Each structure stands twice: as structure tokens, then as C-alpha cells.
Amino acid sequence: MTEVTRKLAEFAANLKFADLPVEVVERSKLLFADLSGIIVRAQPLDSTISMKSGLRDLGLNTGTTKVMGDSECWTPQAAAMIAGAAAHSLDFDDTHAQAMLHPGAPVVPAILAAAQMVDATTRDVLVAMVAGYEVMIRVAFGVNPIAHSERGHHLTATTGVFGAAAAVGSILKLTPDQMMNAFGTALSEAAGTGQFAINGAWTKRYHVGSAAAAGLTAAVLARNGYTGAAQAFEGKEGFFNVYSPAPNPEKSVAGLGEVWEILQSGIKPYPCCRGIHAPLDAVFNIMSAQKIDPDQIASVNVGMAARSVYVVGEPQDRRRNPKNVVDCQFSTHLCLATALITGELGWDSYEPALKSPAIYALMQKINVGPDAECEANFPEAFSAVVEIKTDTGETYRDFVYAPQGEPSTMPSKQELAQKFYLLARPVLGEVGAEDLWQNIQNMDGENSIQSVLKQADDACDRSE
């Protein structure tokens, strides 16, 4: 038996800042900045407002823990839940293609809540990020992400609770035995399915907030002597065997501490499901080379891997008729029609797109189906091929092996800053966004986490 639980626990509990290669530290700061901008921008969203209202009804606004972009105080669990849901609300958060998940959304919010509990340093936060990312991604490898997701599980939620527990355990300086107990308790909270797609529900956002809060709870309980199930991952009724028909435990610990999976995390240029990114890249490639009149488009055919077709292409009638923003984030048809007509796709594109007769009409001409070459590349790469035919007989075609923002096409620091400011300025203002960005760049120093949170909080107060 591969002792996955103990090995991952020892790794997460023993990881130190001195163990991190320079490139891992720098990537962690960029990922933290990316998530921070998203969390801030999602504070005014209807789903965030609704969640906060419900948490107030539960009396969870009585603590001292802050959420970026929000001046209100919460209990640590509530803060983790709000920030976790916010981090995933725009569908703009970082991804790991091979693991088929978003590692930052449950991990960073759990860290931010725990760091305030013990006034952790920003170096502690970076170490905890790496511990959480590595554990979460590797647990996904062990459960076999394709087999797991095809059962209907939402990987960011089901594995995210373990990443959050590992990250918080790192902040709280848990021993390896305590970390194993945290994993054993987190096992009871591993949940989240794809049923949200039926009606475009906010449940997907809740999944991730719940994972962040549950991981925090599991680690805090472990710190206080609460025992969790042994062999949480590899046991007969552990995560791998119960949640997957074809687990691969050995893969979860292969290269542990030597191969840094956080470096394989990608950053999104578009606020939609990662499966739509390669088709969008292809459309923009075609548009940069050819002037296409949207009124003269006869058809748009999109090929991708079968799993991507299932998630963002079918049923076609549903994808051609999105009813809300969540629907938009999973509609290849709406995203491509919006790009073709407006020349862009950003967070503020969705509400106007839902009301546009021209975009609706073009969606009806878009078809999505499986492609053999894309299938062969999946999940190493989320490839896509797009073919546009016009009423005048022209055909334009482009194939994208992997979308922009993957490790091989990682945005520059300047490009990431542009995304951050675009998201943060509407909430924090010009000065507040600049202060937050600069403080994140200094996180590899021995600063209190309050130095980062205070900038976001003060800026939010100034903008109110």
C-alpha cells in the first residue's frame, strides 16, 4: 500500500520557505495577485451579496476576520467561505490542466482566514500556498481526474478541501500526525457535483467557498487534538477508492518535493470555463488575420475533446440559449458569438450579451462537437479547432493546441498586472489597487499578512 496520506502530510507539515525554488516563490506571488484581484472584483456580485446576507442571518458576521475588498468583519469560517466563493465566481481563477481543477480558489481564501488568526507572515502565506497547491493537485492525480469528473464530481471542490486543509495546516504549524488528522476530517467534507449546470446555479461558487471553510475547520480541529479518519486517501473506504473507479495512488506522490506542480498552473485571460479558451484563441487568431463581417457568417464549427464538449458544448440547444451569467461561462456558443461580434470577451461582456439579438442569432449558427486530434491531446492540453464559413464561400480555420495562459504561454508580469488592475480598480480605486499590487510583490519579505489585507481594506473604505 502506498502511504499517500502520511507522505502528503509530512510534506505539507515540514515544508519551509528555504525549500522553495526562486521560480516557485515568484509564481506563487503572481498567482496570489491573480486570485486577489478576482476576490476583490467579486465582492459586489449578486451571489456574493446573497451569501453574505445568509451568513449574517447565521450570526457569522461577529468575528474579526476580513475579506479582501470588504470592510465587514466575519468569523474565520465565514471569511473563508465568502472569499472562496468569490474567487471562483468570475470563472477567472487559475487552472491546472492535467489535474482538471482550479487550485487557487479554495486554497488562498482558506490561507487568508487562517493567517489572520495567528498573524502569519507573508512568507508563511507563500509556503502555505505551495503546500496547498501541491496537495490538492496531487490528490487529483491520485483519484484520477477524468474518471472522477465523469462520475459527476467537481474536482475543485472535492480535492479543494484537502488543499485548503494542507495550506491551513501549514499556517498553523501542524505536526505530520495532526496534518493526517486534518485530512481525515476533511474527507467527510469532500463534496460538489456538476448538477449546477442544469440551471446555471450559484452552487458551483458555493462548492469552492465550502471547501475553503471546511479545510480551515478540519485543520483547526486537528490543532486542538480532534482525530480524523486514518488513511484518508488510500484506505479501503478512503477518498481514492470511494470517489474513483480507477484511482492511481502512486501518481499522487511521484516526485513530491522535487516536481513543483504549482508551476504547471495556468492563468486565465478570459472569464469562462477553461474548455472555451482554445476556441476563443482560435477565433481571435482568425479575426486578427481576416476581416470578417459577423452578418455574413454562415456557420462556425468547433472541435474539442469529448469531455470539453460535454461540459461547454452540450446540450446544444441549452448552450445556444443561456439564461444567466453562469450559463454564459459554460456556453462556447455565447462566448464565441460575443467575441466575433464585439471583438472581445471580458467579465462585463455577459450581461449585454444576454440581451443582444445579434449575439443570439449568431449562437444558433455555432456547432460544437468532438475532434480526434483534440481528444488525443486531452487532458495534457485543452485543444480546439475552429472553422468559420461565410455566406460568400470563404472558409477560415485555426487549430490551437493549448490556450493562452498555460505555463508555456504564461502572461508576463505586466500582462498579469493589467488583468489585476482591470478587476481591482472598480472596487478599490486607483490608489488602493496600486497599493495592494505593490504589497503583494513584497510578500517574500518577513511582513505580516495584515500589511496586505490592510491595503485592500483601507482602499475599500476609501471607495465607499
Side-chain angles (χ1 to χ4, degrees), residues 410-458:
M410 185 62 58
S412 67
K413 189 174 181 178
Q414 182 179 4
E415 290 170 330
L416 180 58
Q418 291 174 347
K419 175 184 175 181
F420 171 86
Y421 287 126
L422 184 67
L423 294 171
R425 280 172 180 152
V427 179
L428 301 182
E430 187 79 30
V431 174
E434 177 64 25
D435 286 347
L436 179 55
W437 173 264
Q438 293 302 329
N439 277 275
I440 292 172
Q441 303 317 304
N442 295 327
M443 284 182 67
D444 48 352
E446 292 286 357
N447 307 309
S448 167
I449 188 59
Q450 297 296 340
S451 66
V452 174
L453 292 167
K454 186 176 186 300
Q455 294 295 335
D457 184 33
D458 287 350

Side-chain angles (χ1 to χ4, degrees), residues 370-445:
D371 177 82
E373 186 175 1
C374 296
E375 183 67 29
N377 296 337
F378 186 83
E380 294 298 317
F382 282 53
S383 304
V385 58
V386 172
E387 185 177 83
I388 300 174
K389 293 184 178 181
T390 70
D391 291 331
T392 53
E394 292 89 359
T395 298
Y396 306 107
R397 184 182 189 276
D398 192 70
F399 174 84
V400 174
Y401 172 76
Q404 293 294 308
E406 289 299 316
S408 60
T409 56
M410 185 62 58
S412 67
K413 189 174 181 178
Q414 182 179 4
E415 290 170 330
L416 180 58
Q418 291 174 347
K419 175 184 175 181
F420 171 86
Y421 287 126
L422 184 67
L423 294 171
R425 280 172 180 152
V427 179
L428 301 182
E430 187 79 30
V431 174
E434 177 64 25
D435 286 347
L436 179 55
W437 173 264
Q438 293 302 329
N439 277 275
I440 292 172
Q441 303 317 304
N442 295 327
M443 284 182 67
D444 48 352

